[in-house]
Amino acid sequence: MTENKNELMEKIVSLCKRRGFIFQGSEIYGGLAGTWDYGPYGVSLVNNIKNIWWKKFVSDREDMYGVDAAIIMNSKVWEASGHVSGFSDPLVECQKCHHRFRGDQLEDKNKCPDCGGSFGEERQFNMMFKTYVGATEDETSVSYLRPETAGGMFVNFKNIIDSMHPKIPFGLGQIGKAFRNEIAPRDFIFRSREFSQMEVEYFVNPKDWKDSFERWRKIMLSWCDDIGLDSSKVHELEVADADRAHYSKRTIDFEFDYPFGRKELYGLAYRTDFDLQSHSTASGQDISYFDEESKERFIPHVIEPSLGLDRTVLAILCNAYTEDNLGDETRVFLKFKPSIAPVKCAVFPLLKNKPELVLKAREVFGMLKKEFSGVVFDDNGNIGKRYRRQDEIGTPFCVTVDFETIEDNAGVTVRDRDTGKQERVSLEDLVSYIKLKI
Ligand code: ATP
């Protein structure tokens, strides 16, 4: 229904602000470029995604271990990983308006897209945020906010081996913040300077990397399905030799059709033994693995499924945003998969000024709250307005207590977000009715 793609993004951004999903960071001070704050519904959406990810990628698996490493690490970590010397993007500055751009993202490298001026020389711009640890501000106290969560897993490889004694293949999983001083943050939460990643570092015997890569590829695709992304909008891109990071022997980017174009959602990379080898050499510690069965000692190779949390949120929002006509009205609704939806069900008394209805509705609300996280009570305005409000935040079920509920013990009505159809459900069956659909 929405023709213009920029217009669609504007509608999504404005719904996110209006309904408490996502706000501009530091907004009352004019904002801070590349930062965003999640509001009440946003944080519920984020938590649902994190929980489903953690269950699928970590806690449901016997070969996975969770970690939560510090964001600030010894700067030697980032020297060994190559980030200090090489984690940079090409920066160009217009000599006339002084706007800065990423050189590799310009259509015409000779002309500023903002004023037509010419560019100065291209230079490499390191994207790590630098800081000082402790009271001395000199080169010895320099550290960085981590630019990816991966580092915290590689440096804990030895700790995990020594404490958990896992058998290869096994992996570490982590969800956490990462920071990149992007030259041009843009497209809402797609490219920001502070974001979250959900990453796995999976350690394998080098002879098994191909099978493992293939298994993770399938898991990533099934994850996209789990969170309700339309499979026709998810595409795999085999990254060409020339475009891959120097240590990677194979990378697949999973791209999503965002309203602003087909862009990277996730990455899956075979990182060889680059990381463990580099940390072993730089730290002087033995970071090898001894295989009891084959009596082999080797440095494991790594398969890395890397998933951006905020790009997931954005893909889910863009995928879910729907406009249709229900009855005589045009409505906007978020067609979230029920397992992802921040609010699972809303409970209404049909009329606000009838205490017996309100009392019963409160009772039903209490019963559902015990069973589900994400249940709200609403008695504001007429029932049609309440439905629209819940549609806009993607609530799959609206439960209404009416006179038949109390007078005839006839249960409640449950209204389905997508079809608008209502069904009568007895109070005894209500919890299992909703559970079945989530
Ligand atoms: P891009 O090419 O878009 O800059 P990248 O290839 O540098 O991304 P990776 O280093 O592979 O990204 O990071 C892994 C994942 O982290 C990405 O697939 C993406 O989901 C997420 N990500 C990376 N940079 C950002 C950012 N600036 N804002 C939000 N998410 C990001």
Side-chain angles (χ1 to χ4, degrees), residues 180 182 190-192 195 197 264-267 306 308 311:
R180 295 184 188 178
E182 296 277 357
F190 177 82
R191 186 176 301 288
S192 33
F195 55 96
Q197 293 181 314
E264 176 175 332
L265 172 63
Y266 306 137
S306 179
R311 287 190 190 178

Side-chain angles (χ1 to χ4, degrees), residues 348-352 378-386 389:
F348 312 147
L350 181 65
L351 299 170
K352 187 184 181 165
D378 189 2
D379 60 4
N380 239 324
N382 67 40
I383 207 98
K385 284 210 178 102
R386 296 181 211 159
R389 273 203 295 273

Side-chain angles (χ1 to χ4, degrees), residues 142-336:
V142 164
S143 189
Y144 305 92
L145 301 187
R146 66 181 178 207
E148 55 184 28
T149 61
M153 291 185 270
F154 295 129
V155 300
N156 276 300
F157 176 82
K158 191 171 156 32
N159 284 332
I160 299 296
I161 292 281
D162 293 345
S163 58
M164 309 302 289
H165 313 289
K167 281 213 164 51
I168 253 174
F170 74 91
L172 301 182
Q174 175 167 228
I175 301 178
K177 289 269 187 177
F179 303 81
R180 295 184 188 178
N181 200 359
E182 296 277 357
I183 294 170
R186 63 176 63 172
D187 296 323
F188 196 25
I189 54 172
F190 177 82
R191 186 176 301 288
S192 33
R193 291 185 167 133
E194 174 178 337
F195 55 96
S196 297
Q197 293 181 314
M198 307 181 285
E199 288 196 306
V200 165
E201 305 303 330
Y202 198 71
F203 302 100
V204 299
N205 187 314
K207 67 178 172 41
D208 298 327
W209 80 265
K210 283 191 176 140
D211 285 350
S212 186
F213 191 94
E214 189 52 28
R215 274 197 290 276
W216 284 108
R217 190 177 77 79
K218 291 198 178 124
I219 293 170
M220 288 177 79
L221 285 174
S222 81
W223 157 260
C224 293
D225 195 45
D226 294 348
I227 54 172
L229 296 184
D230 182 346
S231 62
S232 69
K233 291 184 182 160
V234 177
H235 309 274
E236 288 178 76
L237 174 82
E238 186 74 47
V239 179
D241 292 1
D243 300 331
R244 272 199 312 264
H246 65 94
Y247 48 75
S248 172
K249 286 238 177 87
R250 188 177 178 199
T251 299
I252 290 179
D253 281 352
F254 292 81
E255 299 186 312
F256 182 78
D257 291 326
Y258 290 99
F260 44 86
R262 187 172 292 180
K263 296 274 164 73
E264 176 175 332
L265 172 63
Y266 306 137
L268 173 64
Y270 168 41
R271 298 176 68 115
T272 66
D273 60 353
F274 169 78
D275 305 276
L276 292 186
Q277 193 78 63
S278 308
H279 288 303
S280 185
T281 310
S283 66
Q285 302 264 339
D286 176 12
I287 311 188
S288 60
Y289 173 84
F290 182 69
D291 190 326
E292 297 285 350
E293 273 164 40
S294 66
K295 306 290 176 211
E296 274 180 283
R297 181 169 284 285
F298 59 92
I299 300 240
H301 282 220
V302 169
I303 307 293
E304 180 193 65
S306 179
L307 293 84
L309 176 60
D310 312 82
R311 287 190 190 178
T312 307
V313 172
L314 186 55
I316 288 175
L317 284 166
C318 296
N319 193 84
Y321 185 91
T322 315
E323 293 175 5
D324 73 357
N325 290 313
L326 195 65
D328 306 335
E329 271 183 80
T330 308
R331 66 163 180 163
V332 170
F333 71 109
L334 292 177
K335 207 172 181 169
F336 290 137

Side-chain angles (χ1 to χ4, degrees), residues 15-182:
L15 186 152
C16 283
K17 180 176 154 90
R18 194 173 65 248
R19 298 307 317 273
F21 280 88
I22 303 168
F23 309 119
Q24 191 187 4
S26 316
E27 190 178 337
I28 60 166
Y29 287 100
L32 177 67
T35 66
W36 299 93
D37 297 342
Y38 287 102
Y41 293 131
V43 83
S44 297
L45 181 61
V46 161
N47 285 341
N48 292 343
I49 297 167
K50 282 183 182 173
N51 290 340
I52 299 173
W53 185 89
W54 192 261
K55 187 167 167 4
K56 185 181 182 85
F57 285 77
V58 183
S59 59
D60 269 0
R61 299 177 57 115
E62 289 181 44
D63 57 349
M64 286 294 301
Y65 299 84
V67 293
D68 187 1
I71 287 174
I72 303 175
M73 302 177 80
N74 190 316
S75 59
K76 288 181 183 153
V77 172
W78 306 114
E79 281 162 25
S81 65
H83 283 84
V84 172
S85 57
F87 191 61
S88 47
D89 275 341
L91 169 74
V92 288
E93 184 173 331
C94 171
Q95 289 175 315
K96 202 164 141 202
C97 70
H98 299 286
H99 289 175
R100 292 173 160 198
F101 302 90
R102 246 176 82 167
D104 58 339
Q105 287 181 344
L106 283 170
E107 271 176 30
D108 183 351
K109 278 201 166 197
N110 298 313
K111 209 165 98 191
C112 169
D114 289 351
C115 74
S118 56
F119 292 117
E121 216 162 280
E122 184 173 286
R123 68 179 172 91
Q124 288 301 314
F125 173 76
N126 193 299
M127 290 198 290
M128 283 199 294
F129 280 97
K130 209 176 194 176
T131 186
Y132 297 95
V133 177
T136 350
E137 287 196 8
D138 63 22
E139 281 311 300
T140 60
S141 62
V142 164
S143 189
Y144 305 92
L145 301 187
R146 66 181 178 207
E148 55 184 28
T149 61
M153 291 185 270
F154 295 129
V155 300
N156 276 300
F157 176 82
K158 191 171 156 32
N159 284 332
I160 299 296
I161 292 281
D162 293 345
S163 58
M164 309 302 289
H165 313 289
K167 281 213 164 51
I168 253 174
F170 74 91
L172 301 182
Q174 175 167 228
I175 301 178
K177 289 269 187 177
F179 303 81
R180 295 184 188 178
N181 200 359
E182 296 277 357

